[in-house]
């Protein structure tokens, strides 16, 4: 989708193409949904009466969900884009684990490439173009988030506001020769999770870095690509950041926010959790946040069980056109995934959609990745791993997922 002069072409069929940069002025009402969402959030903040009760504001943006539709000028910020580092299909990936990214294949621009099913890769040039559009769409949303946060700052609300920035899933951008999110691999399940808690996540001396929106089209290359630099170098210093390397899950947000806001923290769900009116499968992240705000960099983290889980279904042992998004009635296998410290284990089991149960005695495929030596999950080590490690993961997964369903 490139013009003769090298500019992105305007997306004509706005619902059928994957890569879809648009001219904003030509859109209905001269805008896009995510811009309207940001404007509504800013309208709320501008009009908020600080004498009222505390507020909860959820601002949900659509992009970079496909189609990758965004103002076309954001493509100019990424003139060159390379391939994913691991852009070919791993030899040890089981057939059942393969995501054939049928949701992309149905898009007109991808369909026109006549890519063979299920393993045929996108042409390399178009892989770069899709990646370029994804980065552009993400930057478009980052720009809108900056505008919302600056409004929060200008209304003098930021100093007392907890902010959580999350995504609901990851997205393969050509890694393992796959695209989209329909997988248990780390690239599809990892998601952004940023928390800002007044005082708790600030600098040690509690100085607060105010939120300032920076126009992405006026930034230096260094700041756009997140390189720390001094003001004398001609770019803006990035805010102070702290990072935890502990494994956490999105279900941890509920108990975390309850504790941070002084509300009762729900108890843990029993095995028949649906019988409880209010419970959680998450863990409060307060101890991790508190540790990073009060401890020296080399201090050990608090006691924390370093594990996370995910699952994804398949309709068959080998890829079919509905392998990426099977209907419930078509689900015949379930892939259960556990991260434990530096290891990632996935087992594929027969699944009964009528009872929501799996046969834990008849695994049909396994995956094991050592993230300390293989962070891109390219080498399946299951067949060369020891029995004790595999049995340990099987026991952990069964304890986590083999629960009673109460109707």
């Amino acid at each position: 989708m490139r013009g003769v002069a090298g500019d992105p072409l305007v997306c004509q069929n706005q619902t059928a193409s994957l890569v879809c940069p648009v001219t904003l002025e030509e859109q209905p009402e001269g805008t896009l949904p995510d811009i309207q969402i940001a404007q509504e959030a800013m309208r709320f903040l501008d009009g908020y009466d600080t004498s009222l009760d505390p507020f909860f504001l959820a601002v949900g943006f659509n992009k970079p969900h496909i189609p990758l539709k965004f103002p076309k000028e954001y493509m100019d910020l990424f003139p060159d884009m390379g391939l994913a580092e691991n852009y070919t299909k791993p030899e040890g990936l089981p057939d059942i684990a393969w995501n054939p990214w049928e949701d992309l294949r149905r898009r007109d621009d991808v369909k026109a490439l006549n890519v063979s099913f299920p393993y045929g890769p996108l042409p390399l040039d178009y892989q770069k173009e899709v990646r370029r559009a994804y980065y552009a769409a993400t930057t478009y949303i980052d720009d809108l988030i900056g505008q919302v946060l600056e409004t929060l700052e200008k209304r003098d609300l930021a100093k007392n506001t907890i902010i959580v920035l999350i995504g609901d899933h990851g997205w393969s951008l050509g890694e393992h020769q796959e695209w989209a999110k329909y997988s248990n691999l780390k690239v599809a399940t990892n998601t952004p999770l940023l928390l800002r808690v007044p005082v708790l996540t600030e600098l040690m001396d509690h100085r607060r870095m105010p939120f300032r929106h920076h126009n992405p089209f006026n930034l230096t290359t260094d700041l756009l690509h997140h390189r720390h630099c001094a003001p004398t170098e001609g770019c803006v210093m990035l805010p102070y950041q702290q990072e935890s390397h502990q494994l956490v899950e999105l279900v941890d947000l509920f108990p975390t926010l309850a504790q941070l806001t002084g509300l009762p923290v729900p108890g843990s769900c029993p095995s028949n959790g649906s019988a409880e009116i209010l419970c959680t499968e998450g863990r409060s992240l307060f101890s991790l946040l508190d540790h990073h705000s009060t401890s020296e960099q080399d201090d050990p983290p608090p006691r924390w069980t370093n594990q996370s889980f995910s699952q994804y279904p398949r309709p068959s042992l080998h890829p079919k056109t509905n392998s990426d998004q099977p209907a419930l009635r078509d689900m015949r296998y379930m892939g259960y995934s556990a991260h434990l410290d530096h290891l990632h284990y996935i087992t594929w089991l027969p699944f009964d959609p009528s009872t929501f149960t799996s046969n834990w005695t008849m695994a049909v495929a396994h995956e094991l990745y050592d993230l300390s030596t293989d962070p891109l999950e390219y080498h399946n080590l299951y067949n060369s791993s020891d029995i004790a490690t595999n049995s340990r993961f099987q026991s952990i997964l069964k304890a986590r997922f083999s629960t009673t369903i109460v109707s």
Side-chain angles (χ1 to χ4, degrees):
M1 292 188 66
R2 302 297 296 275
V4 293
D7 294 329
L9 290 178
V10 173
C11 184
Q12 299 298 327
N13 190 338
Q14 297 172 4
T15 60
S17 291
L18 171 63
V19 178
C20 192
V22 299
T23 300
L24 194 60
E25 295 74 20
E26 296 177 358
Q27 300 307 298
E29 302 182 25
T31 188
L32 288 170
D34 284 322
I35 295 175
Q36 294 175 311
I37 290 169
Q39 290 172 339
E40 180 61 19
M42 291 185 282
R43 184 203 62 77
F44 171 85
L45 294 172
D46 279 331
Y48 176 70
D49 184 348
T50 55
S51 66
L52 299 177
D53 292 336
F55 67 85
F56 175 86
L57 180 62
V59 186
F61 294 105
N62 295 295
K63 301 307 165 193
H65 194 283
I66 63 173
L68 299 173
K69 183 179 178 182
F70 52 88
K72 62 185 180 66
E73 55 268 22
Y74 286 90
M75 287 286 265
D76 297 335
L77 297 173
F78 301 94
D80 299 302
M81 182 63 62
L83 298 168
E85 185 175 347
N86 53 333
Y87 67 92
T88 58
K89 181 179 178 294
E91 291 184 4
L93 186 72
D95 277 358
I96 194 172
W98 174 254
N99 163 28
W101 39 277
E102 183 64 20
D103 59 334
L104 268 71
R105 295 175 189 271
R106 290 194 296 266
R107 302 281 169 175
D108 282 354
D109 50 347
V110 177
K111 191 185 303 183
L113 299 172
N114 197 29
V115 176
S116 62
F117 183 90
Y119 301 116
L122 286 178
L124 298 186
D125 284 348
Y126 209 70
Q127 290 191 39
K128 296 176 182 178
E129 196 71 354
V130 175
R131 288 168 57 83
R132 183 170 169 241
Y134 192 92
Y135 275 67
T138 304
T139 303
Y140 158 56
I141 298 303
D142 187 48
D143 189 9
L144 296 176
I145 292 172
Q147 296 175 40
V148 173
L149 291 179
E150 185 172 69
T151 302
L152 187 77
E153 187 71 52
K154 288 180 177 179
R155 290 286 287 113
D156 200 30
L157 297 169
K159 63 184 179 183
N160 297 317
T161 302
I162 297 171
I163 301 170
V164 182
L165 177 64
I166 61 172
D168 55 347
H169 52 75
W171 217 76
S172 295
L173 283 168
E175 294 87 358
H176 310 100
Q177 207 168 297
E178 294 184 337
W179 301 85
K181 61 184 179 180
Y182 308 107
S183 165
N184 274 316
L185 291 173
K186 183 164 64 78
V187 69
T189 59
N190 272 20
T191 181
L193 174 57
L194 287 78
L195 290 96
R196 183 265 184 185
V197 182
V199 179
L200 190 60
T201 57
E202 309 293 352
L203 288 164
M204 293 293 186
D205 59 4
H206 296 165
R207 287 183 297 136
R208 193 177 67 79
M209 178 74 72
F211 292 111
R212 293 287 182 264
H213 171 252
H214 300 285
N215 186 332
F217 302 101
N218 293 331
L219 297 179
T220 66
T221 301
D222 285 333
L223 185 58
L224 182 63
H225 294 286
H226 309 114
R227 186 179 77 85
H228 288 267
C229 57
T232 54
E233 294 183 66
C235 52
V236 184
M237 289 293 289
L238 294 177
Y240 181 78
Q241 301 172 35
Q242 299 183 68
E243 181 178 346
S244 173
H245 294 280
Q246 305 304 305
L247 293 174
V248 300
E249 301 176 295
L250 293 183
V251 292
D252 298 332
L253 280 178
F254 181 22
T256 301
L257 292 176
Q259 183 172 3
L260 290 173
T261 55
L263 297 173
V265 178
S268 298
C269 294
S271 59
N272 60 338
S274 58
E276 294 289 323
I277 296 177
L278 182 64
C279 63
T280 179
E281 292 184 337
R283 306 168 289 175
S284 173
L285 304 176
F286 178 82
S287 63
L288 294 181
L289 295 170
D290 186 55
H291 168 76
H292 281 278
S293 68
T294 60
S295 304
E296 295 296 330
Q297 190 70 24
D298 295 332
D299 285 354
R303 185 177 180 86
W304 187 264
T305 304
N306 217 25
Q307 60 186 24
S308 62
F309 302 92
S310 65
Q311 65 183 96
Y312 204 79
R314 291 284 187 252
S316 57
L317 289 171
H318 303 286
K320 298 170 61 176
T321 55
N322 67 337
S323 286
D324 55 349
Q325 300 181 75
L328 175 61
R329 64 180 179 275
D330 297 326
M331 296 177 187
R332 293 294 179 268
Y333 299 92
M334 188 65 70
Y336 295 101
S337 161
H339 278 94
L340 188 62
D341 294 321
H342 64 284
L343 294 176
H344 182 198
Y345 175 81
I346 305 169
T347 187
W348 294 92
L349 307 173
F351 178 77
D352 185 343
S354 64
T355 60
F356 300 96
T357 57
S358 294
N359 185 341
W360 289 88
T361 66
M362 261 183 76
V364 297
H366 305 269
E367 299 169 69
L368 180 66
Y369 303 99
D370 186 340
L371 303 181
S372 65
T373 58
D374 180 28
L376 301 180
E377 296 186 321
Y378 204 68
H379 304 285
N380 183 1
L381 302 177
Y382 177 81
N383 289 330
S384 59
S385 58
D386 60 83
I387 296 176
T389 297
N390 298 333
S391 298
R392 177 191 179 202
F393 271 106
Q394 280 278 354
S395 298
I396 291 173
L397 281 171
K398 187 174 182 180
R400 176 65 178 80
F401 287 107
S402 183
T403 57
T404 303
I405 302 296
V406 180
S407 59

